[in-house]
Amino acid sequence: MTEPLPLARWWREPLWAKGVLAAILAGSALLMTWNLARGGDFAFYEAAARSMSESWRALLFGAFDPAGTVTLDKLAGFAVPQAIAIHLFGMSTSAVALPQVIEGLVTVMACAVVGLRGGGTGAGLVAALAAASTPIFVSMFGHPMEDGLLTMALAVALVWWQRAMLTARWWPLVMAAVFVGVGFQAKMMSAWFVLPALVVGTVIATPGIRRGLTRASALVGASVVASIAWIAAIALTPAGARPYIDGSTDNDVFAMVFGYNGLDRFVPGAVPGSVGGPSGGGLGEGLSALGRMVSSHPGAADGASSPTKLLEMPLVTQIGWLYPAALVGLALALWRFWPRRARLGDRARFALAVVAGLWLATSAVVLSATKVPHTAYVAALGVPLVLLTAMAWSEGGRLLRSARRRDRLVLPALLAAQGAWWGVLAREAQLPEAFATGAGVVLVAGVMLGVVGAWPRRTRPALARALPAVLALALLCAPVAASLQVLDANRDGSGGDAYVGIAPRSEHATEPFAISPPAFWGGTPQISSGVAQLAAAARADGGGADGAPLLVSDSWSVSAQIIDATGASVLTDGGYSGRVPVFTASALQSMERSGRVHLFAVSSGASKTDPVREVATEPGCHEIKAWQLGDPGKAGDTAHGSSKPGSVALYSCGGGAT
């Protein structure tokens, strides 16, 4: 079977185009890795990645601890690349973050491929540069976060979907579904933001409504299968042969995915079996929630529901620099291709514009209607914004060759509108004066040259070659300037909250911009002095001998630091929320009597019904010592709004070297 349309490929492009693309990728890699050794992940997830690097059981089930007794509170697909990197390079901040850099470069390349096949060489380069300079991308891909794999997976899914539409073949459609499934493993139902757009786009791009609906149904079905295959396998594994499922009160992975990380974010307690909900539930309850939910991440900045949230600080400066261009690009693409859908190529381009527009709208509606506790959530808008911006440049550039003067002024007018919008954002974002001035000069030059080139036709030949490139730089100069702020380590965000620039209420709010020395490799996980002393005391009392767990803790904020910094096996009750019944008191007593573990770390805020506290305070046990936890925000003690600083006491229940 021959392809109905030849596929554009970057290796067939002119040498100058490949050189520019290589430069964009190199610049993107430089920005993402500049502070790679400085920005570690939130300790809870970094510890899980280390655990998964040390144990096949932990890797298979996405466990928090090396012994594989409890999972993360979400699917752990995002941590698999991190675990592999730790296994290959050893534990370091850079090793944990390196996979996200690769995911970022793949995302930039995927945008370049979609742009190339949708609008030509120039559109591909504009899409690549727009992706490489989207502020939230630059920070997010430079830190270990689940949003990186999600964004990459959906960008790659779009590449395969576009190929399926251009070639009319089935196998690229299946590949698109597979990568939607990969995105689901990274951040659960957030990956399904793109499905409504792909369904509509498939129907539009496929000749014949019945055939279009068939292909769209196959895409959705394959995406759902790819998404839930792993959690179905976990559900079918006997409870005694797998870790306890965090986020659920009855060890149910569907309650964790579709309840705790889904509907419960809108209606607390809506799904039985999830933390905060009534007991019971299971597969049926989980499937009933499909299509209505979005995963959530306990984050550093709690953005409440608001219809204007994406136009306000702090989110707008991370994703909103190209809002006007995206809207104009969508309008121009729809206007051009709407009446010309007979040819397969035009149908595919029209469908791509519809997909980008619907994907953007779906993401914007969901994010506006829900809390955005983590700034990286807005990365869901990034790929469609990038592609629509490339369409604005491509269609605006085509209009520069129009015989009508008003058409030739469309792109300069867009630049002028962008300039006004950027002026507002530059003030809100506290963009360094030098960066704002430089972007302003490029923008003004672009507008002036665009107007000159559009006015008397006899003066245009001298500008014909240079004008598209100048206008592309003018269109993207402000987000480039904003993204360059990551060269200052104080403006680069963190694994706890990706953010380029001075974040609201930041301790660095009054500090001027200053380029930090690069930190491409290194970095060690932090551990507070109190937790380090606790771990040392546990070892001195015989904890961790002969491969046994070091201790049992009732607080992940203690366990995570020990696992993260040392790789020791620490058993943890309560899960992320502190309300997950990983262990019962009788189970812990049995473990203590068998000699498997005899040390118990009890946090100062533990309730009387806490199983760890119950066992630790029984006759025959004694307190070794209590330590203060670290300062807020250090080593994950209070990251993501979790455990408040307090103290933790270590108890020994016989068998130890007192």
Side-chain angles (χ1 to χ4, degrees), residues 291-449:
R292 294 178 291 159
M293 296 171 281
V294 56
S295 68
S296 186
H297 183 302
D302 190 9
S305 302
S306 168
T308 60
K309 180 183 359 182
L310 298 176
L311 298 173
E312 301 170 355
M313 289 289 288
L315 303 181
V316 67
T317 57
Q318 304 306 299
I319 194 64
W321 294 89
L322 297 174
Y323 281 172
L327 294 176
V328 170
L330 178 61
L332 290 177
L334 295 180
W335 173 76
R336 178 185 178 190
F337 293 117
W338 189 288
R340 301 176 57 198
R341 288 174 286 167
R343 293 170 50 219
L344 182 60
D346 287 342
R347 293 177 72 103
R349 292 184 180 94
F350 176 65
L352 179 62
V354 171
V355 166
L358 283 179
W359 185 3
L360 180 65
T362 301
S363 300
V365 168
V366 175
L367 292 175
S368 298
T370 62
K371 289 185 177 182
V372 180
H374 194 300
T375 311
Y377 271 45
V378 298
L381 305 171
V383 172
L385 277 172
V386 162
L387 297 177
L388 291 173
T389 298
M391 292 178 193
W393 178 88
S394 178
E395 294 304 309
R398 185 185 63 83
L399 292 176
L400 287 175
R401 301 186 295 274
S402 172
R404 292 181 294 186
R405 182 177 299 160
R406 66 181 184 183
D407 291 346
R408 300 196 299 271
L409 288 172
V410 167
L411 196 49
L414 169 60
L415 292 178
Q418 281 281 180
W421 175 242
W422 290 342
V424 175
L425 293 190
R427 288 195 302 273
E428 293 289 337
Q430 301 181 48
L431 194 66
E433 184 176 350
F435 288 7
T437 301
V441 169
V442 174
L443 175 66
V444 171
V447 173
M448 292 178 63
L449 288 174

Side-chain angles (χ1 to χ4, degrees), residues 132-230:
S133 61
T134 298
I136 192 62
F137 281 5
V138 176
S139 179
M140 177 186 74
F141 286 124
H143 297 99
M145 310 178 77
E146 63 263 38
D147 304 83
L149 181 59
L150 169 70
T151 303
M152 183 211 77
L154 297 189
V156 174
L158 189 64
V159 172
W160 287 113
W161 174 87
Q162 184 188 41
R163 182 185 180 111
M165 298 305 103
L166 290 172
T167 64
R169 291 184 171 182
W170 279 93
W171 71 267
L173 204 64
V174 175
M175 290 300 298
V178 167
F179 276 95
V180 171
V182 172
F184 189 92
Q185 311 315 315
K187 207 170 181 185
M188 296 163 291
M189 296 193 69
S190 295
W192 290 358
F193 283 4
V194 74
L195 281 181
L198 293 183
V199 166
V200 175
T202 301
V203 173
I204 290 174
T206 305
I209 185 67
R210 180 176 297 179
R211 188 162 182 260
L213 289 173
T214 300
R215 285 167 66 85
S217 299
L219 173 63
V220 173
S223 296
V224 172
V225 170
S227 297
I228 69 172
W230 187 63

